[in-house]
Amino acid sequence: MERTEVLDMMGALKLFGMRGAYDETLATAIKRKHEPQRLVGDLLKAEISEKQARSIRYQMTIAKLPLAKDLDGFAFAGTPINEALVRDLSNGGFLAEQRNAVLIGGTGTGKSHLAIAIARACIRGGARGRFYNVVDLVNRLDAEARAGRQGRMADYLSRLDVVILDELGYLPFAQAGGQLLFHLVSRLYERTSIIVTTNLAFAEWPSVFGDAKMTTALLDRLTHHCEIIETGNESWRFKNRA
């Protein structure tokens, strides 16, 4: 059978990993006198690797992460951040226990960078996630409720492994929005891990939600199984300005 026929059949079967690796794998097998089963095995490994890479690319796309941030690009030196804890979270083990993480610190201290980096590492490990700016999410929840479709977003997010809620406290929202966010967090409790970034200490959260009792109940759920990461108050951008 001609090479082009083999490649055409692989393409027809959507075996793109095998198709891409065919020439090199076959050349190596001939040169090293591999057994036929070794050749087939190497082609199958190439196919599996390609499918895994394609799945990761797809999950990265639907996660809607705003930036491509990784831990290797973060300068931990000179910060109060617990690097060991951050790297442990990036391994994704906390997702299996539906644990949460809250990153607290001033503007420019790396909270969003770390949350995105942790999420990207988890997705590369096979997790499914979704990123939201908190105000944007509240607006979506409000639009959903007004359209009579309340609960659909919660249903979707409860099937994911992790949800990132970025910039809680940077902009206010109506009390009705706080209630919608409370109901979402309650729905995700012990189902889906949540990563929150905020510039507010926990004692200041009632100023965002407008209801002290509801805020206490939300914090109970969020921090029941939770890692707290303090990033300090000194802006990295300000500290390293030219």
Side-chain angles (χ1 to χ4, degrees), residues 68-141:
K69 297 289 188 179
D70 291 302
L71 292 184
D72 289 343
F74 191 87
F76 287 95
T79 74
I81 298 168
N82 185 335
E83 181 179 356
L85 174 57
V86 171
R87 294 195 178 279
D88 182 63
L89 289 171
S90 73
N91 292 329
F94 74 106
L95 301 180
E97 301 173 347
Q98 292 81 45
R99 296 180 64 82
N100 303 318
V102 178
L103 294 94
I104 304 175
T107 301
T109 57
K111 301 182 299 298
S112 295
H113 182 142
L114 292 174
I116 292 169
I118 291 169
R120 281 172 58 84
C122 290
I123 292 170
R124 283 195 292 268
R128 297 171 300 156
R130 183 69 165 82
F131 177 98
Y132 291 99
N133 174 278
V134 168
V135 173
D136 290 342
L137 175 60
V138 168
N139 289 336
R140 290 188 181 210
L141 291 171

Side-chain angles (χ1 to χ4, degrees), residues 78-225:
T79 74
I81 298 168
N82 185 335
E83 181 179 356
L85 174 57
V86 171
R87 294 195 178 279
D88 182 63
L89 289 171
S90 73
N91 292 329
F94 74 106
L95 301 180
E97 301 173 347
Q98 292 81 45
R99 296 180 64 82
N100 303 318
V102 178
L103 294 94
I104 304 175
T107 301
T109 57
K111 301 182 299 298
S112 295
H113 182 142
L114 292 174
I116 292 169
I118 291 169
R120 281 172 58 84
C122 290
I123 292 170
R124 283 195 292 268
R128 297 171 300 156
R130 183 69 165 82
F131 177 98
Y132 291 99
N133 174 278
V134 168
V135 173
D136 290 342
L137 175 60
V138 168
N139 289 336
R140 290 188 181 210
L141 291 171
D142 181 61
E144 179 185 67
R146 286 187 283 105
R149 299 194 300 269
Q150 189 168 350
R152 293 191 181 184
M153 185 173 291
D155 287 341
Y156 164 65
L157 296 179
S158 67
R159 293 193 294 271
L160 301 182
D161 299 298
V162 61
V163 174
I164 302 90
L165 305 182
D166 193 40
E167 297 190 339
L168 174 69
Y170 281 81
L171 292 173
F173 44 76
Q175 185 172 351
Q179 292 171 347
L180 291 170
L181 190 57
F182 167 75
H183 288 305
L184 175 63
V185 171
S186 297
R187 182 67 181 278
L188 300 183
Y189 177 59
E190 295 190 329
R191 294 186 181 184
T192 299
S193 293
I194 303 172
I195 299 175
V196 177
T197 73
T198 181
N199 62 335
L200 301 178
F202 290 136
E204 299 174 285
W205 283 34
S207 65
V208 175
F209 291 92
D211 184 317
K213 289 184 178 179
M214 182 179 69
T215 305
T216 298
L218 181 145
L219 284 170
D220 283 345
R221 289 163 174 76
L222 187 65
T223 62
H224 181 207
H225 310 289

Side-chain angles (χ1 to χ4, degrees), residues 59-78:
Q59 292 299 333
M60 287 289 188
T61 299
I62 65 173
K64 303 293 183 182
L65 297 166
L67 299 167
K69 297 289 188 179
D70 291 302
L71 292 184
D72 289 343
F74 191 87
F76 287 95

